[in-house]
Amino acid sequence: MAEPAHRRVADAIRAAIERGELEPGARMSTVQQLADLHGVSKETAHRAVRSLVAEGLITATRSRGMYVRNRPRERVIVRDRTVYRDELGYFFDRSAQDWRAIGTPTRGQTVAPAHVADMLEVGREEVVFARDRAMGPPGSTTASQLSTSYLPMWLLTELPVVGKAQTGSGGIYDRIEEHFQVPIEWSEMVYGRPANDEEVAKLGIGEGLPVLVVTRLAAVAPGGRRQVVEINETRMSAEEFAVAYPVQRDASAAWPRA
Amino acid sequence: MAEPAHRRVADAIRAAIERGELEPGARMSTVQQLADLHGVSKETAHRAVRSLVAEGLITATRSRGMYVRNRPRERVIVRDRTVYRDELGYFFDRSAQDWRAIGTPTRGQTVAPAHVADMLEVGREEVVFARDRAMGPPGSTTASQLSTSYLPMWLLTELPVVGKAQTGSGGIYDRIEEHFQVPIEWSEMVYGRPANDEEVAKLGIGEGLPVLVVTRLAAVAPGGRRQVVEINETRMSAEEFAVAYPVQRDASAAWPRA
DNA sequence: TAGTGGTCTAGACCACGGC
DNA sequence: CCGTGGTCTAGACCACTAT
């Protein structure tokens, strides 16, 4: 056999979904029915089902059946990579401006993930200060994004207010700009990875489905000496959210061309 | 049993790898040995192995054995969202500038995915022109990125050269700027989703692991009338790649503050 | 030829939710 | 109680490769 049976079955089901024969939300045949239909054992049919679950195409719940997922691929909320300001201070996401904290934000000392420690320019074993919060649209009880803010300990020593529960009007960014008397510069990085247990629980994502991680770096350069003052990591369902930004022309790509 | 046996076995192996007992590149026990060791059937041991392959932790080759993968977890290649230009034309990724096409690029008419059709401003059932290619570092035989370029049919009618195999110096972007006599403006969007079969096969990603999709929109506005001329979708392993860009200040966030 | 990963089956069993 | 997804087994078989 060129193509294994379990893959053949998975392909057939996937094709049916993509052709629209199985509509989003529709209940699917049972595993046993799929096995009979394609002339394979129940275990093989189940294996095909497992791949489709891993791909995020269907959901399967014990004793309740399998359903075609209705994926909100159409309604991607697009984040816009520009920093704005209103009376409350800087914000980065116009579509999430009215979102509220879900549950109680936490703060305390912790060891940051390796890549965050590297970007923060502290040792990987070094303790940093972290603020955690879950955000969601007003009225919602489940979070849409998990945000963690990491601060280096030297900044808390130099500017203790950034570690307090109440950081005052404009938050830590205003305190930092007031203290250093220079503008903060931000840059962002996006990557994806499978959701971990915390994200599955708090964001209601399917196990193993991807989350998008937006890592934002805040730096100041008083007197030309650049210092990273904060790393913010925001995690969200990769399926529901997309991040957008303009592409800038380098000098080599100036218009009109020579 | 709270924890299924196949998961227990997978956890044990994963832990051994993460503790460093199994070093990257080391050959692992055979499936049969794992089955005996953990007191499960060969099929169950194999199932544990499948999850680890899907997670990208190990590789398995028929009749040659299973090996611990050495993953570039730390060395994410960071794309830089700026358009540059060299003697060959515009390019978007300095780290991928010397990459070459793997296999033969294809081109032809197709129906684009819904969100691409929307961005291209054509009907969802409408046929568009597509160019597909797999790219990878020089010398490599497996692709690192899959790139698909979608063009609206009206553009091929107005400017037939963009549908040819050879589009001339500077490629379609130079042809488009020459034709409309205005600069192209690009914007990008990033999202993630589980890999599909094509990506699993061509990119060597584990089944169900996330891919990062960078959707780039090219538009021109001759005489102020904005027209979308191309959508490019580039897919890559979300584990190996991250996308970076600067955050820009909106006028409301000007510094110094009022 | 022997050993490897990989596939497949038939049938047993389990946990859970709805009836 | 029954039907559901999900687990597990023992054993057969296959394709490939190193020897």
Side-chain angles (χ1 to χ4, degrees):
Chain A
M1 289 186 216
E3 186 114 22
H6 68 87
R7 187 171 284 252
R8 213 189 57 225
V9 174
D11 288 347
I13 302 172
R14 191 185 304 106
I17 292 175
E18 281 168 6
R19 270 199 310 274
E21 286 169 31
L22 288 165
E23 292 186 359
R27 176 160 193 179
M28 303 181 45
S29 316
T30 69
V31 178
Q32 188 60 59
Q33 286 168 341
L34 290 173
D36 296 345
L37 179 64
H38 293 91
V40 297
S41 74
K42 186 195 159 196
E43 181 64 33
T44 300
H46 189 17
R47 189 166 164 183
V49 160
R50 279 201 298 264
S51 335
L52 297 173
V53 171
E55 286 172 34
L57 274 175
I58 67 176
T59 61
T61 335
R62 246 186 183 128
S63 83
R64 221 182 308 191
M66 302 186 292
Y67 294 83
V68 180
R69 280 190 65 192
N70 42 353
R71 295 182 301 162
R73 165 58 52 225
E74 318 268 341
R75 303 176 273 120
V76 280
I77 300 171
V78 175
R79 287 168 60 108
D80 163 2
R81 303 337 290 164
T82 304
V83 53
Y84 300 91
R85 193 176 172 91
D86 64 9
E87 64 285 359
L88 293 177
Y90 293 118
F91 64 98
F92 296 85
D93 207 337
R94 278 188 294 191
S95 58
Q97 197 189 352
D98 60 346
W99 286 14
R100 301 176 186 187
I102 310 238
T104 313
T106 65
R107 54 191 238 283
Q109 295 188 10
T110 183
V111 173
H115 72 280
V116 170
D118 291 349
M119 292 175 79
L120 206 49
E121 298 170 353
V122 303
R124 291 194 178 181
E125 315 292 329
E126 218 170 294
V127 163
V128 300
F129 184 83
R131 238 194 215 87
D132 256 308
R133 58 183 174 179
M135 304 290 289
S140 171
T141 54
T142 61
S144 291
Q145 300 184 344
L146 303 177
S147 167
T148 310
S149 170
Y150 299 93
L151 304 172
M153 291 310 293
W154 66 259
L155 183 66
L156 268 84
T157 308
E158 197 168 326
L159 191 59
V161 64
V162 298
K164 301 274 194 273
Q166 300 298 328
T167 52
S169 154
I172 67 163
Y173 293 138
D174 277 17
R175 296 297 83 70
I176 289 168
E177 289 190 335
E178 286 160 10
H179 179 73
F180 291 101
Q181 286 294 312
V182 290
I184 295 173
E185 288 185 4
W186 291 276
S187 63
E188 289 191 337
M189 187 184 89
V190 184
Y191 66 96
R193 57 166 172 72
N196 62 29
D197 288 348
E198 183 201 5
E199 290 143 6
V200 168
K202 293 190 183 166
L203 297 176
I205 298 182
E207 191 179 347
L209 287 184
V211 291
L212 217 55
V213 185
V214 179
T215 306
R216 186 174 65 232
L217 181 149
V220 292
R225 224 179 46 259
R226 180 186 156 91
Q227 290 174 297
V228 178
V229 289
E230 186 222 12
I231 302 290
N232 181 290
E233 280 215 323
T234 302
R235 293 113 76 199
M236 61 203 86
S237 159
E239 217 169 26
E240 288 176 51
F241 294 91
V243 175
Y245 46 86
V247 172
Q248 302 176 298
R249 281 181 186 253
D250 179 68
S252 64
W255 171 271
R257 301 203 300 273
Chain B
M1 289 192 212
E3 186 114 21
H6 68 89
R7 186 174 285 252
R8 213 189 59 225
V9 174
D11 288 348
I13 303 172
R14 192 186 303 106
I17 292 174
E18 280 169 5
R19 269 199 311 274
E21 286 169 30
L22 289 165
E23 293 186 357
R27 177 162 193 179
M28 302 181 45
S29 316
T30 69
V31 177
Q32 188 60 61
Q33 286 169 342
L34 289 173
D36 296 345
L37 179 64
H38 293 93
V40 298
S41 73
K42 186 196 160 196
E43 180 64 34
T44 300
H46 189 19
R47 187 165 167 187
V49 161
R50 277 202 300 264
S51 342
L52 297 173
V53 170
E55 286 171 33
L57 273 175
I58 69 178
T59 62
T61 336
R62 247 190 183 125
S63 80
R64 220 183 308 193
M66 303 185 292
Y67 294 84
V68 180
R69 272 187 70 187
N70 39 356
R71 296 183 300 162
R73 149 87 51 227
E74 316 269 340
R75 303 176 273 121
V76 282
I77 300 173
V78 175
R79 289 166 58 108
D80 164 1
R81 304 334 292 165
T82 304
V83 55
Y84 300 92
R85 193 175 172 92
D86 63 10
E87 62 285 1
L88 293 176
Y90 292 117
F91 65 97
F92 296 86
D93 207 336
R94 279 189 293 191
S95 58
Q97 198 189 350
D98 60 348
W99 286 14
R100 300 177 186 186
I102 309 235
T104 314
T106 64
R107 53 191 237 284
Q109 295 189 9
T110 183
V111 173
H115 71 280
V116 171
D118 291 349
M119 292 174 80
L120 249 192
E121 299 170 354
V122 304
R124 292 194 178 181
E125 315 291 329
E126 217 171 295
V127 163
V128 299
F129 184 83
R131 239 195 214 88
D132 254 308
R133 60 183 173 178
M135 304 290 288
S140 171
T141 54
T142 61
S144 291
Q145 300 185 344
L146 303 177
S147 168
T148 310
S149 170
Y150 299 93
L151 304 173
M153 291 311 293
W154 67 258
L155 183 65
L156 268 85
T157 308
E158 195 167 327
L159 191 59
V161 64
V162 298
K164 301 274 193 271
Q166 302 297 329
T167 52
S169 154
I172 66 163
Y173 292 139
D174 277 18
R175 296 296 83 71
I176 289 169
E177 288 189 336
E178 286 162 10
H179 179 73
F180 291 102
Q181 287 295 313
V182 290
I184 295 173
E185 287 185 4
W186 290 277
S187 61
E188 290 191 336
M189 188 185 88
V190 185
Y191 66 95
R193 56 166 172 72
N196 62 29
D197 283 352
E198 182 201 5
E199 290 142 7
V200 168
K202 293 190 181 165
L203 296 175
I205 299 182
E207 189 180 348
L209 284 186
V211 291
L212 220 53
V213 184
V214 179
T215 307
R216 186 174 65 232
L217 180 150
V220 292
R225 225 180 44 259
R226 178 186 157 92
Q227 291 174 294
V228 178
V229 288
E230 187 223 12
I231 302 291
N232 180 290
E233 279 215 325
T234 302
R235 294 113 76 199
M236 63 202 85
S237 158
E239 202 176 32
E240 289 177 49
F241 294 91
V243 176
Y245 46 87
V247 171
Q248 302 176 298
R249 279 179 188 257
D250 180 68
S252 65
W255 170 271
R257 301 203 300 273

